[in-house]
Amino acid sequence: MKAEKQGNLEAADQEEMSPGESTDESEEDESEEEPKLKYERLLNGVSEILQEDAASCMTVHEKFLALGTHSGKMYLLDIQGNVTQKFDISSVKINQISLDESGEYVGICSEDGKIVAVHPLFGKSNCKQFVTGGNKLLLYDRNWLNRWKTSVLHEGEGNITNIKWRGNLIAWANNMGVKILDITTKQRITNIPRDDKSLRPDMYPCSLFWKDNLTLVIGWGKSVKVCSVKERHASELRDLPSRYVEIVTQFDNEYYISGIAPLCDQFVMLFFVKDKSETMLCARPRLDIIQAHPDSSEEISSDAITVRGFQENECRDYRLEYSEGESLFYIISPRDVVVAKERDQDDHIDWLLTRKKYEEALMAAEISQKNIKRHDVLDIGLSYITHLVEKRDYDMAARKCQKILGKNMKLWEDEVYRFKKIGQLKAISKYLPRGDLRLRPAIYEMILDEFLKTDYEGFSTLIREWPGELYNNKTIVQALKGHLNKDPENRTLLKALAELHTYDQRYDEALNIYLKLRNKEVFDLIHKHNLFSSIKDKIVLLMDFDTEKAVDMLLDNEDKISIDKVVNELKDRPELQHVYLHKLFKRDHHKGQKYHEKQISLYAEFDRPNLLPFLRDSTHCPLEKALEICHQRNFVEETVFLLSRMGNSRRALQMIMEELKDVDKAIEFAKEQDDAELWDDLILYSIDKPPFITGLLNNIGTHVDPILLIHRIKEGMEIPNLRDSLVKILQDYNLQILLREGCKKILVSDSLSLLKKLHRTQAKAMLVDDESICEACLSPLLSSDVSKPLGVVAFHCRHTFHRDCVPVASTMSTVYFCNICSAKKRGPGSAMHEMKK
């Protein structure tokens, strides 16, 4: 524990706790930047004390406060400022009060530099050491006889105005500067001189605090220094202290420092501000949060604090104390004590709400829902909706209802009636709940009625989007029909009516309306509700509306509407009949075979390009009927195909030559038929037509000997491009020769390769062992009697015989034949190996 100032003392029987964070609140200005601190006066007993006396100092414990006054009294206060005890300590001003960590031992120093009282507050204390200031720094030690022993730690540099003790290090300030002493070695580590020697130390006192056991922060005049105590390397010791101090951060401020305290890695600084006017009065003190950098600082926030009598105060009249671990700062002035607190989430939300930042306030409340005490998420949300309505942002207000109102039906209905009152039911309609949470049907009916009166399109949209269970269907249908009586052809209302009939399962009425409107949703309706029995007499209407979709639907559901039924319904509309039968044929060539004869006329009438493919693919088409129709309509290509298919190729070729006059097509036809007589007919027909001769010369080289054509050409006949045609014939001939030679080489090569393979196979040895038997006599090939010679014949077909068992081809020849393979006409068995044992 520590005591400071002249007459200050520090008790150190227990190590001091590390500083805690604090918060503050003063008079907020109206800037957009949110303040970091909030402020409140310490009232109750403090106000009564300061009406008659003036505060000079205060110390803060987590359980109570100790306030010293100019009249020499000390008051113990609870955290709210109520007086619990009073002590008459001295007749002069109390400069400092110091407590040990437990709050049981107190040291009080007065203006005259004497220790006025050192005694326990709540019983016997175990304090063993303390230091005092004045013109000397004295250390008091309790000996084994429970008596105090004093020793001088420092003297000769004027009055000591501030002392801070932490761990093994004591820091104090006097007229010359700040010193640090290591209590274990009794060695002074450093002397840090004050910067501005023009300032009177008694008028502008030094502020000190230990940030941790090795870091001292000094605020004096306008300067701040952060000093780090470090261990000296053994090689550097000599006669020097084992520790030294390095100033790691230093910066200057605009105003004079009256107090400094820690806030995480930042500083809370109380500034004395002189008024720049000629009145010689002082301005309000400032409490700033400063972020320190190595050689500069950054102002995080700044508040001017209105304390009573600030116009008459000097720098020495202010003190800044803080509660370690409780985030509280106390600003002490002669006539006032102000408590600064860090703003919590409730304060943040208050600030946002006063600036009408409801969106951010709502988000902050949702994030900190478990920590806020004065606010409710729902209340903030309702205020947000009200704010949006007042701004006439009705759509945003309605959209926020989904998130804010949630599943609260009463609040939903209240909001709906509010939107009705201001004529904005349309805005909230698209955000109404329609899932598990549902409002009363009357709410939805009220909104639908509003749309029905003012917006047919919006009414239709709601009918399409809202489930039919939300409202009374019959009520809406009745209201809708009332409007249709005035405008019976209104397509929007008719469509909405069809959807309502669908919800009510009156599918036939819905179907009739969709067909009347020619609406494509009719097909979905038919599929979804299996209405095929209802459309059997409406096939023409469906196909008139969308032929492709109708045909696909009919073909996909042949089991529900038969092919015969569809064809019969379309008998008066042959063009639609053709479309249906054509798609049926494309899907399956055999399903509609009984209508193939009819299709010939339909293709000829409505779709000639597909007639020839139909004739080619159909196996059920009557050829005579098709030929008659094609002949009547002079369809030459189709007629040629039919003649060819009926076997009358010569007549087909004649039509190509005479009707189409297309030699290329004639040649192609002759190639397809591959008939020598057709080629003769083609040559005879072309022989007196030079262009045809040119075509033949260019194309028949690979099918007919060109000489047959050339010999029949009359002498003197002019033939276009004859030379080129002859050259092509020669080239084709040369190509044929080359192809034949190439094939011959390949054939010879393959024959030789296979012959070699056969020779290698037949030249291989064959295994004959004790298990081998004669295929003729079925006895073992090899005799167990070694002295008896026995010949063995093995054929390449793998059959083996005794030589005496193999038949010989003739008496004049010794060539053996496998009678088994010879009987089966297997040639390879004719060769043999002869082995003798």
Side-chain angles (χ1 to χ4, degrees), residues 544-586:
D544 278 338
F545 166 48
D546 190 328
T547 304
E548 292 295 320
K549 269 195 170 184
V551 170
D552 288 338
M553 181 186 70
L554 293 169
L555 292 176
D556 291 339
N557 296 275
E558 292 176 27
D559 56 327
K560 296 165 185 173
I561 303 179
S562 66
I563 297 172
D564 295 339
K565 176 63 178 175
V566 176
V567 173
N568 185 57
E569 284 292 319
L570 299 174
K571 62 185 176 182
D572 296 328
R573 296 291 299 277
E575 73 280 7
L576 299 178
Q577 202 176 52
H578 163 68
V579 173
Y580 175 78
L581 290 173
H582 172 65
K583 281 212 167 187
L584 176 63
F585 181 74
K586 284 291 185 183

Side-chain angles (χ1 to χ4, degrees), residues 154-186:
H154 180 75
E155 63 179 333
E157 292 185 354
N159 285 333
I160 295 171
T161 58
N162 201 346
I163 305 172
K164 292 292 179 183
W165 186 352
R166 179 152 177 163
N168 296 324
L169 299 174
I170 301 175
W172 70 93
N174 57 26
N175 294 345
M176 305 303 294
V178 177
K179 282 77 176 171
I180 300 176
L181 179 137
D182 188 340
I183 193 66
T184 56
T185 62
K186 300 294 193 300

Side-chain angles (χ1 to χ4, degrees), residues 113-165:
K114 296 180 180 180
I115 303 171
V116 178
V118 178
H119 61 81
L121 286 176
F122 308 108
K124 187 176 179 179
S125 173
N126 60 353
C127 179
K128 295 180 180 179
Q129 281 184 314
F130 62 89
V131 292
T132 65
N135 53 9
K136 298 179 182 179
L137 181 67
L138 297 176
L139 172 65
Y140 287 77
D141 283 296
R142 192 189 296 271
N143 62 20
W144 65 279
L145 294 174
N146 205 26
R147 295 179 180 178
W148 293 106
K149 175 187 175 183
T150 62
S151 57
V152 178
L153 298 179
H154 180 75
E155 63 179 333
E157 292 185 354
N159 285 333
I160 295 171
T161 58
N162 201 346
I163 305 172
K164 292 292 179 183
W165 186 352

Side-chain angles (χ1 to χ4, degrees), residues 8 15 25 35 52 58 67 85 95 196 205 230 259 310 333 378 404 437 452 457 466 655 675 711-712 743 749 801 826:
N8 287 5
E15 187 174 318
E25 179 191 77
E52 300 176 357
M58 190 171 78
L67 177 68
Q85 290 188 62
N95 281 338
D196 191 350
K230 298 185 177 181
F310 68 86
S333 69
L378 181 58
I404 294 167
L437 172 69
L452 191 55
E457 289 293 339
W466 283 3
M655 286 194 70
D675 186 345
H711 283 164
R712 296 187 184 184
C743 291
S749 175
F801 300 87
R826 292 182 180 175

Side-chain angles (χ1 to χ4, degrees), residues 53-64:
D53 204 345
S56 60
C57 63
M58 190 171 78
T59 191
V60 179
H61 190 268
E62 62 180 7
K63 298 177 182 178
F64 61 90

Side-chain angles (χ1 to χ4, degrees), residues 507-508 511-512 515 521-540 542-543 548-563 565-566 569 580 587:
Y507 302 122
D508 289 342
L511 181 63
N512 290 332
L515 288 173
E521 292 183 22
V522 67
F523 296 104
D524 295 331
L525 182 70
I526 293 168
H527 276 292
K528 187 174 181 179
H529 301 291
N530 196 21
L531 304 180
F532 294 100
S533 60
S534 301
I535 64 167
K536 289 183 178 179
D537 56 347
K538 298 179 178 66
I539 294 174
V540 175
L542 287 169
M543 292 191 69
E548 292 295 320
K549 269 195 170 184
V551 170
D552 288 338
M553 181 186 70
L554 293 169
L555 292 176
D556 291 339
N557 296 275
E558 292 176 27
D559 56 327
K560 296 165 185 173
I561 303 179
S562 66
I563 297 172
K565 176 63 178 175
V566 176
E569 284 292 319
Y580 175 78
R587 289 196 180 194

Side-chain angles (χ1 to χ4, degrees), residues 619-813:
T619 57
H620 307 286
C621 174
L623 300 181
E624 294 82 0
K625 179 67 175 178
L627 182 61
E628 179 184 349
I629 292 172
C630 292
H631 184 69
Q632 288 173 355
R633 294 178 176 268
N634 197 28
F635 292 169
V636 178
E637 291 187 20
E638 291 81 355
T639 303
V640 168
F641 170 76
L642 290 169
L643 289 171
S644 171
R645 189 167 174 183
M646 296 170 70
N648 196 350
S649 301
R650 302 185 71 176
R651 173 59 184 152
L653 180 63
Q654 182 181 355
M655 286 194 70
I656 294 172
M657 301 296 288
E658 294 177 354
E659 300 290 340
L660 299 178
K661 301 187 183 327
D662 188 342
V663 65
D664 293 330
K665 187 166 284 190
I667 293 170
E668 189 65 31
F669 181 76
K671 288 179 179 178
E672 289 176 0
Q673 302 300 316
D674 196 21
D675 186 345
E677 291 184 0
L678 280 182
W679 283 110
D680 286 339
D681 291 344
L682 181 56
I683 292 171
L684 286 175
Y685 182 83
S686 305
I687 203 66
D688 58 348
K689 300 176 181 63
F692 278 40
I693 293 175
T694 302
L696 286 171
L697 289 173
N698 288 335
N699 290 283
I700 69 170
T702 56
H703 292 78
V704 180
D705 188 353
I707 298 300
L708 296 176
L709 175 60
I710 294 171
H711 283 164
R712 296 187 184 184
I713 298 173
K714 297 178 182 178
E715 288 189 25
M717 179 181 288
E718 259 186 53
I719 300 172
N721 301 316
L722 177 61
R723 186 191 64 177
D724 295 340
S725 299
L726 293 175
V727 169
K728 187 174 184 307
I729 289 172
L730 293 174
Q731 289 175 342
D732 290 345
Y733 179 75
N734 288 334
L735 179 61
Q736 289 183 21
I737 296 300
L738 289 173
L739 287 173
R740 288 178 182 177
E741 289 180 353
C743 291
K744 181 179 177 183
K745 287 180 180 179
I746 293 170
L747 182 61
V748 170
S749 175
D750 287 350
S751 299
L752 181 60
S753 175
L754 292 172
L755 181 62
K756 289 179 178 178
K757 183 179 179 181
L758 176 63
H759 180 266
R760 286 196 302 272
T761 302
Q762 292 185 345
K764 287 180 181 178
M766 295 178 62
L767 175 64
V768 176
D769 55 17
D770 293 338
E771 295 181 0
S772 301
I773 61 172
C774 174
E775 298 289 345
C777 66
L778 301 179
S779 59
L781 278 178
L782 303 178
S783 174
S784 56
D785 187 359
V786 181
S787 62
K788 183 179 179 182
L790 181 63
V792 174
V793 177
F795 293 93
H796 291 297
C797 61
R798 303 295 172 179
H799 293 134
T800 52
F801 300 87
H802 293 128
R803 186 173 57 189
D804 296 339
C805 297
V806 180
V808 182
S810 64
T811 55
M812 301 298 294
S813 174

Side-chain angles (χ1 to χ4, degrees), residues 275-338:
D275 199 332
K276 296 180 180 179
S277 65
E278 297 179 358
T279 61
M280 301 302 291
L281 297 175
C282 298
R284 292 185 298 170
R286 289 168 47 127
L287 193 69
D288 290 6
I289 298 177
I290 301 296
Q291 178 68 60
H293 301 293
D295 54 359
S296 64
S297 63
E298 177 187 356
E299 183 183 281
I300 304 301
S301 73
S302 179
D303 298 316
I305 314 221
T306 303
V307 296
R308 295 187 181 98
F310 68 86
Q311 299 90 341
E312 302 171 358
N313 293 339
E314 296 292 339
C315 183
R316 65 179 178 180
D317 294 325
Y318 293 109
R319 297 287 184 93
L320 178 64
E321 298 292 338
Y322 61 94
S323 173
E324 297 182 353
E326 289 196 23
S327 300
L328 296 175
F329 294 101
Y330 293 85
I331 301 152
I332 301 101
S333 69
R335 298 295 180 189
D336 216 348
V337 178
V338 176

